[in-house]
Amino acid sequence: MANIIKKRNPWKQIITFSFTTIPFFSVYYVGTVYESVPLIEMVLKGFTNTGYLLIGLSLILGPLAKFWNYFDKLLTYRKQLGIIGFMYALIHGVVGTIIYILPNPDILNTNYWAVALGIIALYLFFICYAISEIIVIKTLGPKRWRRLIRYVSYTAFLLVTMHIYLAKLQVWQDYINSDILFPPLSLILFSFGIFVLGFRFYTFIYDTLALGYAAINTVIKESHKSAD
């Protein structure tokens, strides 16, 4: 009797993974603010930071797989990581508006650029979500589609990383000037974001130099053939 191999559902796997990080991030956040936190804010922090983590993982897997074969098997999760991460980020945007901005509209005066960058980033992530369907890939062509979604997604990730920086800079300064041992959750995730962006930039430089090196070798070989 033939063995029946049960295929793993990547959507289920990523959701299960996120349901471990959401409570962890929620509890960690409460443990580092040293004050009473409403339950809805506590849970929201779990979704917010998990969303950022998932999107960052979806972006970093490609560059990592270029240098280490171990990550090749994880590339199939990039779509699920990105879409689920976007959904969590959308929850952050909607619920955050309800519990932070609507009760206190003046927050826009002091955090205008942080809010603006966050909104733009969400819009760009929505574009990534909208063009992730097979029909769009076939219409644009795989090569053009990959280039488009790479530029849009990394631009959005850069903007949301700047959003975190502008919104949480004062919190980080207070932490540095305090005797608190564990860093703010936002600082940890921001550092992860900088790693993602930095490694992507390194990969870009590496690919550019590799193409240049290959082009020079081709020219040299052609010149040798002509000389012979």
Side-chain angles (χ1 to χ4, degrees):
M1 185 176 180
N3 293 328
I4 299 177
I5 300 177
K6 185 177 180 181
K7 293 184 178 181
R8 295 180 177 180
N9 186 327
W11 293 99
K12 183 178 179 181
Q13 287 183 290
I14 299 304
I15 291 175
T16 301
F17 169 72
S18 70
F19 281 0
T20 63
T21 59
I22 289 172
F24 173 78
F25 286 154
S26 297
V27 172
Y28 185 93
Y29 171 74
V30 173
T32 54
V33 295
Y34 295 94
E35 61 183 31
S36 177
V37 176
L39 179 60
I40 188 172
E41 179 179 344
M42 173 183 172
V43 175
L44 180 61
K45 293 299 181 181
F47 277 95
T48 300
N49 290 282
T50 295
Y52 185 75
L53 174 66
L54 296 183
I55 293 173
L57 289 175
S58 73
L59 295 177
I60 195 64
L61 285 177
L64 289 175
K66 181 180 292 290
F67 297 98
W68 295 283
N69 294 333
Y70 171 81
F71 295 97
D72 287 344
K73 60 185 179 182
L74 302 177
L75 293 177
T76 55
Y77 294 100
R78 287 185 294 181
K79 179 177 179 178
Q80 290 78 16
L81 286 166
I83 291 179
I84 296 174
F86 165 67
M87 294 302 174
Y88 292 165
L90 193 59
I91 291 174
H92 161 74
V94 174
V95 179
T97 299
I98 295 173
I99 68 174
Y100 294 130
I101 297 179
L102 293 183
N104 183 23
D106 290 339
I107 196 173
L108 293 175
N109 296 328
T110 56
N111 294 275
Y112 174 81
W113 283 109
V115 174
L117 291 177
I119 293 173
I120 296 173
L122 275 177
Y123 175 72
L124 293 178
F125 282 134
F126 172 75
I127 293 177
C128 294
Y129 167 74
I131 65 175
S132 64
E133 297 297 329
I134 296 297
I135 187 172
V136 179
I137 299 174
K138 290 182 178 179
T139 301
L140 294 177
K143 187 175 182 180
R144 184 183 299 175
W145 175 81
R146 280 195 298 268
R147 187 184 301 115
L148 175 63
I149 202 166
R150 181 186 300 125
Y151 289 153
V152 176
S153 60
Y154 271 101
T155 299
F157 193 75
L158 173 62
L159 293 180
V160 77
T161 302
M162 294 170 61
H163 161 78
I164 296 173
Y165 173 81
L166 294 174
K168 298 297 182 179
L169 180 59
Q170 186 58 54
V171 175
W172 302 342
Q173 292 174 339
D174 293 342
Y175 162 72
I176 294 173
N177 296 327
S178 70
D179 296 325
I180 299 175
L181 177 61
F182 296 103
L185 181 58
S186 57
L187 182 57
I188 297 175
L189 269 296
F190 176 79
S191 300
F192 166 72
I194 293 299
F195 168 73
V196 172
L197 294 169
F199 199 80
R200 174 69 256 186
F201 180 72
Y202 169 78
T203 305
F204 171 76
I205 297 298
Y206 178 88
D207 290 341
T208 301
L209 293 177
L211 287 174
Y213 179 76
I216 292 174
N217 274 345
T218 301
V219 172
I220 293 176
K221 289 179 181 180
E222 291 296 330
S223 63
H224 286 331
K225 289 181 180 180
S226 298
D228 294 338

